[in-house]
Amino acid sequence: MGFARVELRCPRALDPRPSWTLGDVLAQLDSPEVDSLEATRRSAQPTPLKLPPEWASVGSAREKAFVMRVEEEDETDEDDDGSDGKSRALVANGARFSCNDLESSDVEESEDELDGRIAPYHLMEKRSLEKSILLELEREHHLKVQEEVRSKLSALEVCHQNEIQRTVSAFVRLQKYAESRKELDRRLDVHFQRKIAEVLDKHLSMVQRDHEQKSQIVERRIRDDAALEEAKRKEQAMKDEKIRQERAKQEAEARQKAAAKLAAEAQKAAAEAAAKEAAEKEYAKVRDAAASRSSQNSQSNVAATMAKKNEIESELPGIKVFADNSALEAESRRRALLDQVPANINSSKEFSRYDRQIAKSIGKLMPTTDSVKARAGELIKALDGQDCPRPIACRIFANKIISIVKSRNTKDKTFGNLAFACGYVMLLVTNQVPDAMDYLLAEFHKVCIYTVPKHLHALNAQARNRDYYRLIGYQEENGQLESTESYLTYVAAYIKLYAAMIQTEIRGVRHPHGLAEGWKWLAMFLNALPATTATACALHAFLKVAGFALHKKYGSQFMKLLDVISRCFLPALKEQGSRIQAEATSNLQNYLTDKVYLEEPEGQYLAQQLLSKELFT
């Protein structure tokens, strides 16, 4: 029996493996490795398919077959049968078998790598023709599968390239669409902004027209009120003119009677002319006597005037009066005018109605423009009434407007705004009724002597009795005098009200007691009054309300007065030590240090601006 050695003349690795089937190929294509390869391929540039190995492209399929060689042994049996002869002839002829579809296993390949040489295949048994044909068919089948796989890979590659191109073109179209949408959105946004601007402009125009209509209505109302007031003034002027004509007629009749009397006397004098020369000596004696009597009368008048000036000093013993002579004379004149009207006149049944009416109008006063306008109109109408005499109405008005200090809380921060409102009311009323200003000032002097300005100083402890405290303005409550703190609070409140009236100015309205009188008051205060707790409180209250207006009008002259306060008044105040309350000194010092006179008082600007625009435009 013969043995044959078969050597494979093909490489150890084939692509694809002969053991693959179509199902294995499809499963491999659906595997995660292919998905990762696809992702990698999408991110990288496309590459050509893998080239086949060199041994697959050289020669024909026949040249790739291996040759079976049979080595004849020396001891050959010649008596073999015919079948053995055919086999030997087949082997001797060198029949070729294709082995392109064979691939050595991983174990053989690793062993070959270890040995460094190719291990030949040895056929241990004989193969028949059918098996060879079967191997050939299997090889052809594997080649066909391989070709199909390559074609499918090529088709997939082409499909992938087409998909990339479609993706790029879709992305380009998407970018163009996004740009077109942005442009459309921008145009729509511009269109909407234009519409919003048009609607807003239309709304603002409507609001402006509404405001203009309202302002026109208010102006017409103010003009109607002004026309009504003017008609009232004209009617009153006509009445005054009628009264004046009647008085002139009466005076003419009186002059006629006097002329007739003088004519009768002239006739009598002519009748007595003959006796004139005889009575010259007697007439000279009578003339000398008359001259002596006139000189005595003038001396008595001077003595009466001096006694009137010293009347306050002799009113209480041990009291010294600090005041300017002109201020005392003005106070005496105003107090005399006030004393002409009984203090309890408002309690009479005849005038109680006017008292309630004026008190009601002042009680409803609020620091607003409408309230000031309404209250001033009501008070002017009440003072112009024909049923109540003018002095009585002025006395009631002055008493009620000053008593607002007692009826309102002076420690409240809103009292400053109320004081400015009272200042506007007092100015409007006194502009129409000038006689009311003297009654107002007399009432101020009555409740607070520092509005004169005047200060009463007790020279000894005996002079500091109940009459002295009542004289300087202390009020009694249940038979007891009020505390010093309460007294100083009311002093500051009265001075604030007085200063608010002085500094109030309305365009086109003449002030009968304006800033010039305030400047005069401040000069007399610093020249005549000593530095005490009460005077310090009064000075600080006056400067806090009227300092801004005085500085605005007098400028550097006002700064000189502040310098006098800093150099003279404050040091004299501090020299008295514990007898002076520290709060009064600190308030005055802070006013000068912080330059409060440069700041507009709260409540003044709004009320003044509104009144100047709405009442007198």
Side-chain angles (χ1 to χ4, degrees), residues 494-610:
Y494 286 125
I495 293 296
K496 285 181 180 179
L497 189 61
Y498 177 72
M501 180 191 69
I502 285 176
Q503 64 87 43
T504 301
E505 291 182 347
I506 299 177
R507 186 173 54 189
V509 178
R510 188 185 67 83
H511 202 313
H513 196 81
L515 275 177
E517 295 295 331
W519 177 262
K520 183 179 178 180
W521 181 93
L522 185 58
M524 290 189 298
F525 188 96
L526 295 176
N527 288 331
L529 271 61
T532 63
T533 301
T535 56
C537 290
L539 181 60
H540 176 258
F542 183 83
L543 292 175
K544 188 176 181 181
V545 176
F548 176 80
L550 290 172
H551 177 264
K552 184 178 180 181
K553 183 173 182 179
Y554 295 100
S556 59
Q557 299 299 323
F558 178 75
M559 297 301 297
K560 291 180 181 179
L561 289 183
L562 294 183
D563 185 61
V564 171
I565 296 173
S566 177
R567 289 186 299 101
C568 302
F569 190 86
L570 275 177
L573 190 66
K574 294 177 181 179
E575 286 178 359
Q576 299 189 25
S578 60
R579 291 182 297 173
I580 300 299
Q581 293 186 4
E583 184 179 0
T585 307
S586 62
N587 289 339
L588 200 56
Q589 183 67 49
N590 293 336
Y591 180 87
L592 299 176
T593 304
D594 299 339
K595 297 182 179 179
V596 183
Y597 52 86
L598 298 178
E599 302 174 3
E600 191 172 54
E602 183 180 358
Q604 177 196 13
Y605 179 77
L606 180 61
Q608 182 177 359
Q609 188 73 10
L610 290 175

Side-chain angles (χ1 to χ4, degrees), residues 2-4 69-76 88-89 91-93:
F3 298 89
R69 293 186 180 88
V70 179
E71 296 178 1
E72 296 181 356
E73 296 179 356
D74 294 338
E75 296 179 358
T76 304
R88 283 193 298 272
V91 172
N93 290 334

Side-chain angles (χ1 to χ4, degrees), residues 87-100:
S87 301
R88 283 193 298 272
L90 179 63
V91 172
N93 290 334
R96 296 178 179 272
F97 297 92
S98 177
C99 62
N100 291 336

Side-chain angles (χ1 to χ4, degrees), residues 340-351:
Q340 291 178 3
V341 181
N344 58 350
I345 192 67
N346 54 354
S347 61
S348 64
K349 295 182 179 180
E350 185 179 0
F351 304 111

Side-chain angles (χ1 to χ4, degrees), residues 280-350:
E280 284 182 354
K281 292 181 180 181
E282 295 179 0
Y283 179 74
K285 292 179 181 180
V286 173
R287 186 177 57 187
D288 294 337
S292 62
R293 283 196 302 269
S294 64
S295 61
Q296 290 176 1
N297 290 333
S298 62
Q299 291 177 359
S300 63
N301 290 334
V302 172
T305 303
M306 295 301 294
K308 189 174 182 181
K309 288 184 179 180
N310 298 326
E311 183 178 356
I312 276 212
E313 296 183 4
S314 61
E315 196 172 302
L316 284 177
I319 295 178
K320 184 178 180 180
V321 179
F322 291 90
D324 189 85
N325 291 332
S326 60
L328 291 177
E329 291 176 0
E331 181 198 12
S332 177
R333 178 176 54 83
R334 292 163 184 163
R335 292 290 293 272
L337 183 65
L338 187 67
D339 293 338
Q340 291 178 3
V341 181
N344 58 350
I345 192 67
N346 54 354
S347 61
S348 64
K349 295 182 179 180
E350 185 179 0

